[in-house]
Amino acid sequence: MDSLLRYRRMPFPKRYAEFVALIAISCTLFLFLHTQSLTTRLREMEDKLQPSSLMSSSGLSGNSISQVASAGSAANQGHGQPQNQHRGLVVPADSNLHQTYNYLKSTGQMQTLSARDLNNTRRAEVPIIFFNRVPKVGSQTFMELLRRLAIRNEYTFHRDVVQRLEVIRLSPDRQQELAEMVSDLPMPSVYVKHVCYTNFTRFGLPMPIYVNMVRDPVERIISWYYYVRAPWYFVERKQAFPDLPLPDPRWLKKDFETCVLQGDPECTYAQGAIHEGIGDHRRQTLFFCGHDEQCLPFNSQGALERAKYAVESQYAVVGVLEDLNTTLAVLERYVPKFFSGATNVYFNEVNLLQKINKNNFKPPVSHEIKELVRRNFTREIEFYQFCKQRLYKQYLATQLPHK
């Protein structure tokens, strides 16, 4: 015990404090030098991710969209080539956008991309936007954006009334009534309705400016599945139509995964099927293909090709829900009269806009179930990819000088 007390009374070395200070200074110097090195490396990585020269292209027609995945190695080789042909262009460091650019460059299509060729707005005969909105692609938010832009950009906003039964395929007589009603709107105007693409020229009327949105097909049908089961959905429907019967509680409680695994007709997605349940909007292509019977078979090649042709020849812009940044940028450049300031309005009020029609009752769905369903949506997925790459082509074309 005495030896222990004597040890505790031993004085610290006189230079102990100086020794600790020296260690602290050395550590500080080491961390400073290491931080500087990391900063330099980060800057180098940023320069690689956002090169100062990204270019243009053309082509990538509907039937070549699906080749992007198989052209991955060629795209990667294109990305590694010198990028000094078109200086001053900047493409955001987005993997999908870069993939489109790399594919176009590797296939030699970069030299002919033209914003003018991709601009269907100039072919419209009247200053009227027709947003024939696809359900569950963020169309409520997009519609609210259009409503707010109406004051800024001095146009009138119109939308279809809420209907007891939403009919998207119309008889020729009703198509003509719709076309006449839209054509009689004051100019400039925006009209919004859930309806298939309608050819105004068939009735001797001027074509409006068509716009729309798309979404990953599987995510979209999952969203729709839970949307029609949300409590607030039935409250709104009952308020509008008090005599509507309430749904079966067992139907309300069934989750999507169980619906798929049990082979419920609502979640079967049979290839070529013509009939679909009321409100079952599994055919995203139908809104672009049109009202003809050839557009009805689910996941059919004919409906796919017709929808692609309509997008390329008739639609000014088809945006993508999963890439609103590019969507808004393209809309501002290709339809400036109506969408000037869209990015600013959307993101400055994003806390309000993104809550519109949001369903908090949608549980997560496993990756395995999504992939199982995805097997039956091959052509719907191809159409979605086609719309995405057309959007990216439009964006890339706007970044080119003298085009």
Side-chain angles (χ1 to χ4, degrees):
M1 185 68 178
D2 291 341
S3 61
L4 179 61
L5 291 174
R6 285 197 301 272
Y7 175 79
R8 294 182 59 189
R9 288 195 296 267
M10 289 177 63
F12 289 105
K14 293 182 180 180
R15 302 184 62 83
Y16 182 83
E18 296 177 4
F19 177 75
V20 171
L22 181 61
I23 292 177
I25 293 172
S26 300
C27 290
T28 301
L29 180 61
F30 172 80
L31 289 173
F32 172 78
L33 294 174
H34 187 60
T35 301
Q36 289 292 96
S37 176
L38 286 175
T39 301
T40 302
R41 292 172 61 188
L42 283 172
R43 287 174 179 170
E44 291 174 354
M45 292 174 67
E46 289 174 356
D47 290 339
K48 291 178 180 178
L49 289 173
Q50 298 187 13
S52 60
S53 55
L54 275 85
M55 4 298 154
S56 77
S57 64
S58 107
L60 204 59
S61 60
N63 58 9
S64 66
I65 299 301
S66 58
Q67 299 174 12
V68 173
S70 61
S73 60
N76 291 334
Q77 293 172 6
H79 184 66
Q81 295 171 359
Q83 300 180 354
N84 56 3
Q85 301 171 17
H86 307 282
R87 295 190 179 277
L89 302 183
V90 177
V91 174
D94 174 87
S95 59
N96 291 320
L97 187 54
H98 272 289
Q99 185 182 43
T100 300
Y101 160 72
N102 290 332
Y103 173 77
L104 294 171
K105 182 181 178 185
S106 68
T107 55
Q109 301 179 55
M110 292 298 292
Q111 304 304 317
T112 57
L113 188 64
S114 167
R116 187 178 187 279
D117 292 341
L118 292 166
N119 186 7
N120 287 333
T121 303
R122 62 189 177 88
R123 299 189 179 98
E125 300 169 287
V126 287
I128 296 176
I129 289 280
F130 193 166
F131 175 32
N132 66 315
R133 62 185 182 120
V134 178
K136 307 312 298 172
V137 296
S139 61
Q140 285 278 9
T141 300
F142 192 77
M143 184 168 60
E144 181 61 22
L145 175 63
L146 281 167
R147 193 196 308 273
R148 298 186 185 206
L149 287 171
I151 299 174
R152 174 191 178 111
N153 294 334
E154 299 180 340
Y155 60 79
T156 57
F157 176 89
H158 311 268
R159 63 162 298 181
D160 190 24
V161 297
V162 178
Q163 301 180 25
R164 181 187 180 95
L165 176 61
E166 197 78 62
V167 178
I168 63 173
R169 286 185 66 242
L170 307 178
S171 66
D173 288 344
R174 291 196 61 191
Q175 292 178 48
Q176 183 169 356
E177 292 174 4
L178 173 65
E180 290 175 348
M181 184 271 294
V182 172
S183 299
D184 287 339
L185 293 174
M187 301 184 192
S189 285
V190 164
Y191 184 72
V192 182
K193 177 179 173 61
H194 287 306
V195 68
C196 296
Y197 164 76
T198 303
N199 187 348
F200 282 48
T201 59
R202 180 179 298 176
F203 308 105
L205 295 169
M207 284 297 293
I209 305 167
Y210 266 100
V211 298
N212 214 323
M213 296 281 292
V214 293
R215 180 182 187 178
D216 177 276
V218 174
E219 296 296 340
R220 178 176 165 270
I221 57 109
I222 294 172
S223 178
W224 178 263
Y225 182 90
Y226 286 109
Y227 170 71
V228 296
R229 287 168 167 78
W232 53 264
Y233 174 80
F234 289 103
V235 170
E236 290 181 353
R237 296 289 291 171
K238 266 294 190 181
Q239 289 176 343
F241 310 102
D243 59 327
L244 279 178
L246 290 174
D248 187 333
R250 291 172 299 179
W251 180 83
L252 288 174
K253 293 179 181 178
K254 180 178 284 190
D255 64 86
F256 182 76
E257 295 194 358
T258 301
C259 182
V260 171
L261 293 174
Q262 291 184 351
D264 191 301
E266 185 181 4
C267 304
T268 301
Y269 314 113
Q271 303 300 286
I274 299 296
H275 174 74
E276 61 180 19
I278 295 174
D280 177 12
H281 297 297
R282 64 187 65 185
R283 297 166 175 82
Q284 190 164 223
T285 54
L286 185 59
F287 286 82
F288 301 86
C289 179
H291 304 271
D292 295 343
E293 290 187 2
Q294 292 91 331
C295 299
L296 277 176
F298 172 66
N299 204 49
S300 71
Q301 187 67 33
L304 169 65
E305 295 303 329
R306 283 169 171 255
K308 285 180 178 180
Y309 177 77
V311 169
E312 280 197 317
S313 63
Q314 304 299 326
Y315 280 79
V317 177
V318 176
V320 175
L321 177 63
E322 291 84 355
D323 193 345
L324 287 177
N325 284 321
T326 304
T327 296
L328 294 173
V330 170
L331 283 165
E332 288 190 354
R333 293 295 298 270
Y334 285 80
V335 201
K337 167 61 186 172
F338 293 88
F339 289 95
S340 176
T343 302
N344 182 59
V345 170
Y346 180 85
F347 285 105
N348 280 345
E349 303 175 25
V350 67
N351 290 331
L352 295 175
L353 293 178
Q354 70 182 0
K355 295 178 182 178
I356 297 173
N357 223 22
K358 184 177 181 180
N359 186 3
N360 294 318
F361 297 93
K362 185 177 74 172
V365 176
S366 70
H367 174 75
E368 290 74 18
I369 293 295
K370 290 181 181 179
E371 290 304 305
L372 183 64
V373 172
R374 204 170 288 277
R375 297 173 189 172
N376 284 1
F377 279 77
T378 52
R379 293 187 176 94
E380 290 288 324
I381 292 170
E382 182 178 344
F383 175 72
Y384 167 71
Q385 295 293 342
F386 165 78
C387 291
K388 278 179 66 175
Q389 298 215 12
R390 178 178 184 260
L391 180 74
Y392 293 152
K393 283 171 61 180
Q394 288 180 309
Y395 177 84
L396 289 168
T398 65
Q399 303 303 300
L400 294 172
H402 313 300
K403 286 280 186 178

